[in-house]
Amino acid sequence: MSDDTVRRWVRGGQLTATTDAAGRKVVDGAGLAAFAREQAARPADPSGVGRSARNRFVGLVTAVTTDRVMAQVEMQCGPFRVVSLMSTEAVRELGLAPGSLGVAVVKATTVVVETPGGQS
């Protein structure tokens, strides 16, 4: 999403912004993440060709749950919710928190592809 889109949402009353000490409008990252999750909609595929998903998903971190060793990071990547398990140390090093931008890169040895209605 662009800065202009966020400004339109603030002007339209869909998002709340505050003013910082320098007079700039500021949107809370966690609030923006929650709003992005609510607004997620599947974009139209302009090519009209069916395909399995690409392996890079740009999105907003919507939740981070950590313990002493491991963490669960949830992201809203367009209409897709992506969940990653990683070390708590990695979360700290990357500065992951609700509202931060990230790219989920998926590498798997097995990928299941399904078709509508169980077609073969």
Side-chain angles (χ1 to χ4, degrees):
M1 78 189 73
S2 71
D3 294 346
D4 288 336
T5 299
V6 173
R7 283 187 202 94
R8 277 194 300 277
W9 288 337
V10 169
R11 279 194 305 270
Q14 295 166 286
L15 268 178
T16 302
T18 57
T19 305
D20 68 8
R24 295 174 295 214
K25 293 283 186 184
V26 179
V27 174
D28 173 64
L32 180 59
F35 183 78
R37 187 182 300 137
E38 293 168 4
Q39 298 301 311
R42 178 171 295 239
D45 181 348
S47 71
V49 175
R51 69 175 62 90
S52 63
R54 297 283 182 205
N55 63 349
R56 293 175 53 86
F57 301 91
V58 178
L60 215 55
V61 175
T62 57
V64 177
T65 306
T66 62
D67 66 18
R68 220 176 106 251
V69 177
M70 293 301 295
Q72 176 178 310
V73 177
E74 295 182 35
M75 295 176 62
Q76 190 67 44
C77 303
F80 305 104
R81 176 178 167 259
V82 177
V83 179
S84 177
L85 301 177
M86 65 184 71
S87 69
T88 297
E89 179 181 14
V91 167
R92 281 193 306 270
E93 288 176 0
L94 293 170
L96 297 175
S100 60
L101 185 64
V103 178
V105 179
V106 179
K107 179 165 174 57
T109 56
T110 304
V111 176
V112 176
V113 178
E114 299 175 339
T115 59
Q119 301 169 358
S120 53

